[in-house]
């Protein structure tokens, strides 16, 4: 046992202190001179479960707070929050998922920071050349499936308060979107949804799930006239790639022209409303024929409406090069997608603040 732990610790010290994938990202960032680019990541993750002890302190109800603290000691299915099925580590691409299981992430050498989440986030941000990152939770994305609504609400409020006080108030380069409780677990995305229940592989659910539910919600959003009711509301669709928007625009326009009476609140074609919304790039599909991707960018007005996102540290994360290397983008379009659009929408300072190692 001692030998095994020694080997794991040696592996961490020699190979994954900063992470080989981050070393390669930094090399790429230097080669492409990202230091002159404002780069904003509108979708990245942290593992808030590693800070549950702190988050639980913010639970207002003393009864639920005590239950949370006690259940955390049991873990797995006995835990009040439970776990989910899925394979984000993909057998080694994101090596830190594996290291977490051996409890050796504490051996990572991180820059001094007020909180571990801040230190780890700034580490990968600087390596990739990212100035600002919009950080999302990971296990809590499934909190809407909790059978006790009061637990979801309590955990939601606790996490938001912890995030604002311990992370966002301390590090201006990290921003976030607050978690809002679903209050209806049956409507939340999960593997047991009837439309996905026949998929027997994680990759199948991953490929279809995000895209399918974004298409459903986008259709309901547009056809029921929300863009007309709330014309100043900025709407962004995250983590579903881009191809779904392209095909849905054509499909909805086709149906709209034949049955306009079904959506009397609309004054324009569905695609015209969709082109005014915002989209995140990840996971950006990469067809062999780049003209298909170019047409997709044109359909969604990508140079003003698309925002780059990494989805780091998930197994399918994208580096800024997925945008930077596209030959059909103008220089201004490249700068807009990598950071300018997000800075404008999120109200961020457009000044470059990163320090690529």
């Amino acid at each position: 046992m001692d030998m095994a732990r020694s080997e794991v610790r040696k592996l961490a010290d020699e190979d994954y202190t900063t992470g080989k994938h981050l070393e390669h990202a930094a090399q790429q960032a230097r080669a492409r001179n990202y230091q002159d680019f404002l780069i904003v990541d509108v979708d990245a993750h942290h593992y808030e479960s590693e800070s549950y002890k702190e988050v639980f302190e913010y639970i207002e109800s003393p009864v639920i707070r005590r239950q949370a603290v006690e259940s955390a000691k049991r873990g797995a299915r006995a835990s009040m929050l439970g776990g989910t099925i899925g394979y984000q580590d993909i057998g080694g691409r994101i090596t830190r998922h594996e290291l977490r299981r051996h409890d050796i992430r504490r051996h990572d050498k991180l820059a001094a920071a007020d909180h571990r989440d801040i230190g780890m986030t700034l580490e990968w941000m600087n390596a990739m050349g990212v100035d600002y990152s919009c950080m999302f939770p990971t296990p809590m994305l499934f909190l809407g499936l909790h059978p006790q609504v009061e637990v979801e609400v309590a955990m939601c409020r606790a996490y938001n308060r912890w995030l604002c006080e311990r992370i966002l108030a301390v590090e201006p380069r990290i921003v976030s979107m607050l978690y809002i409780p679903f209050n209806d677990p049956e409507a939340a995305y999960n593997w047991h949804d009837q439309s996905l229940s026949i998929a027997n592989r994680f990759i199948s659910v991953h490929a279809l799930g995000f895209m399918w539910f974004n298409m459903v919600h986008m259709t309901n959003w547009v056809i029921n006239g929300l863009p007309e009711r709330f014309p100043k509301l900025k709407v962004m669709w995250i983590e579903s790639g881009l191809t779904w928007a392209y095909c849905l625009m054509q499909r909805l326009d086709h149906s709209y022209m034949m049955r306009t009476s079904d959506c009397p609140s609309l004054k324009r074609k569905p695609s015209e409303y969709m082109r005014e919304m915002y989209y995140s790039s990840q996971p950006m599909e990469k067809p062999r024929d780049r003209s298909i991707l170019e047409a997709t960018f044109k359909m969604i007005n990508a140079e003003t409406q698309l925002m780059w996102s990494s989805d780091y540290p998930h197994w399918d994360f994208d580096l800024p090069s997925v945008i930077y290397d596209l030959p059909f983008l103008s220089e201004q379009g490249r700068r807009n997608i990598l950071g300018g659009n997000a800075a404008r929408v999120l109200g961020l300072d457009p000044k470059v603040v990163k320090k690529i190692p």
Side-chain angles (χ1 to χ4, degrees):
M1 179 63 72
D2 290 339
M3 181 178 294
R5 289 177 179 173
S6 175
E7 289 299 315
V8 170
R9 195 167 287 120
K10 180 180 178 182
L11 182 67
D13 291 340
E14 292 183 356
D15 293 335
Y16 303 116
T17 299
T18 58
K20 288 297 181 182
H21 51 291
L22 293 186
E23 291 180 12
H24 296 159
Q27 292 173 8
Q28 188 181 97
R30 291 192 296 269
R32 288 166 172 77
N33 198 24
Y34 289 160
Q35 189 60 53
D36 296 334
F37 270 71
L38 174 71
I39 299 183
V40 179
D41 188 349
V42 298
D43 175 19
H45 294 264
H46 72 134
Y47 282 81
E48 75 289 347
S49 53
E50 296 178 352
S51 298
Y52 272 169
K53 184 177 180 180
E54 298 176 8
V55 175
F56 291 161
E57 296 174 2
Y58 288 84
I59 295 178
E60 297 172 353
S61 167
V63 175
I64 297 179
R65 182 169 62 247
R66 178 65 179 271
Q67 290 175 338
V69 171
E70 292 299 320
S71 71
K73 299 176 182 178
R74 297 189 296 270
R77 293 186 179 273
S79 171
M80 184 177 72
L81 296 178
T84 57
I85 298 173
Y87 313 100
Q88 292 288 5
D89 55 2
I90 196 60
R93 185 181 182 198
I94 306 302
T95 54
R96 292 190 175 194
H97 286 220
E98 182 66 23
L99 296 178
R100 182 187 300 111
R101 293 173 191 153
H102 296 285
D103 193 30
I104 62 174
R105 292 181 72 183
R106 55 192 172 86
H107 295 286
D108 290 352
K109 297 178 177 64
L110 299 172
D114 293 85
H115 193 280
R116 182 171 178 77
D117 270 333
I118 296 176
M120 294 186 67
T121 301
L122 292 180
E123 180 191 36
W124 70 256
M125 287 173 62
N126 287 330
M128 292 186 192
V130 175
D131 294 277
Y132 297 95
S133 177
C134 187
M135 187 173 71
F136 292 90
T138 304
M140 277 184 55
L141 293 178
F142 292 86
L143 190 57
L145 299 176
H146 201 287
Q148 296 174 275
V149 174
E150 66 273 17
V151 171
E152 181 200 8
V153 174
M155 191 63 185
C156 156
R157 291 176 176 172
Y159 171 76
N160 288 342
R161 290 176 58 200
W162 169 84
L163 180 68
C164 290
E165 293 185 15
R166 299 284 186 94
I167 308 297
L168 304 185
V170 177
E171 179 48 62
R173 291 178 60 188
I174 301 176
V175 298
S176 186
M177 298 180 187
L178 298 181
Y179 178 97
I180 304 298
F182 284 97
N183 288 317
D184 185 3
E186 292 182 0
Y189 161 54
N190 70 95
W191 201 328
H192 300 291
D193 185 278
Q194 289 186 354
S195 61
L196 297 174
S197 61
I198 60 174
N200 69 334
R201 292 286 187 263
F202 175 74
I203 189 174
S204 305
V205 178
H206 185 272
L208 296 176
F210 288 95
M211 180 178 69
W212 163 245
F213 287 107
N214 264 9
M215 293 178 77
V216 171
H217 293 314
M218 172 69 86
T219 299
N220 286 332
W221 187 275
V222 173
I223 297 302
N224 288 286
L226 269 69
E228 287 290 343
R229 295 171 57 190
F230 306 100
K232 295 182 180 180
L233 184 63
K234 297 175 182 177
V235 179
M236 179 164 59
W237 303 85
I238 295 177
E239 207 170 343
S240 297
L242 305 178
T243 53
W244 68 275
Y246 188 171
C247 68
L248 187 61
M249 285 179 180
Q250 298 183 70
R251 189 74 174 180
L252 292 182
D253 281 359
H254 176 75
S255 298
Y256 172 78
M257 297 304 294
M258 294 188 294
R259 294 182 66 92
T260 55
S261 59
D262 276 357
C263 34
S265 58
L266 298 189
K267 299 178 181 178
R268 296 180 288 161
K269 293 180 180 179
S271 64
E272 295 182 39
Y273 296 105
M274 292 176 67
R275 288 192 183 96
E276 295 173 350
M277 299 181 191
Y278 297 94
Y279 303 86
S280 73
S281 61
Q282 206 283 331
M284 197 175 79
E285 301 89 352
K286 305 171 185 67
R288 293 194 176 203
D289 185 348
R290 279 184 171 168
S291 66
I292 299 174
L293 187 60
E294 184 175 5
T296 303
F297 271 51
K298 182 179 179 180
M299 285 291 289
I300 65 172
N301 291 336
E303 293 202 359
T304 60
Q305 307 306 120
L306 180 61
M307 304 178 195
W308 170 74
S309 60
S310 70
D311 198 32
Y312 187 83
H314 290 168
W315 61 275
D316 59 339
F317 74 92
D318 287 332
L319 294 173
S321 59
V322 299
I323 298 297
Y324 186 91
D325 293 345
L326 292 177
F328 55 78
L329 286 177
S330 66
E331 175 72 8
Q332 188 59 52
R334 187 178 292 114
R335 289 182 178 273
N336 286 348
I337 296 171
L338 282 174
N341 293 336
R344 172 169 48 86
V345 173
L346 301 178
L348 301 175
D349 186 342
K351 180 182 178 180
V352 174
V353 296
K354 60 175 169 282
K355 294 182 180 179
I356 300 174

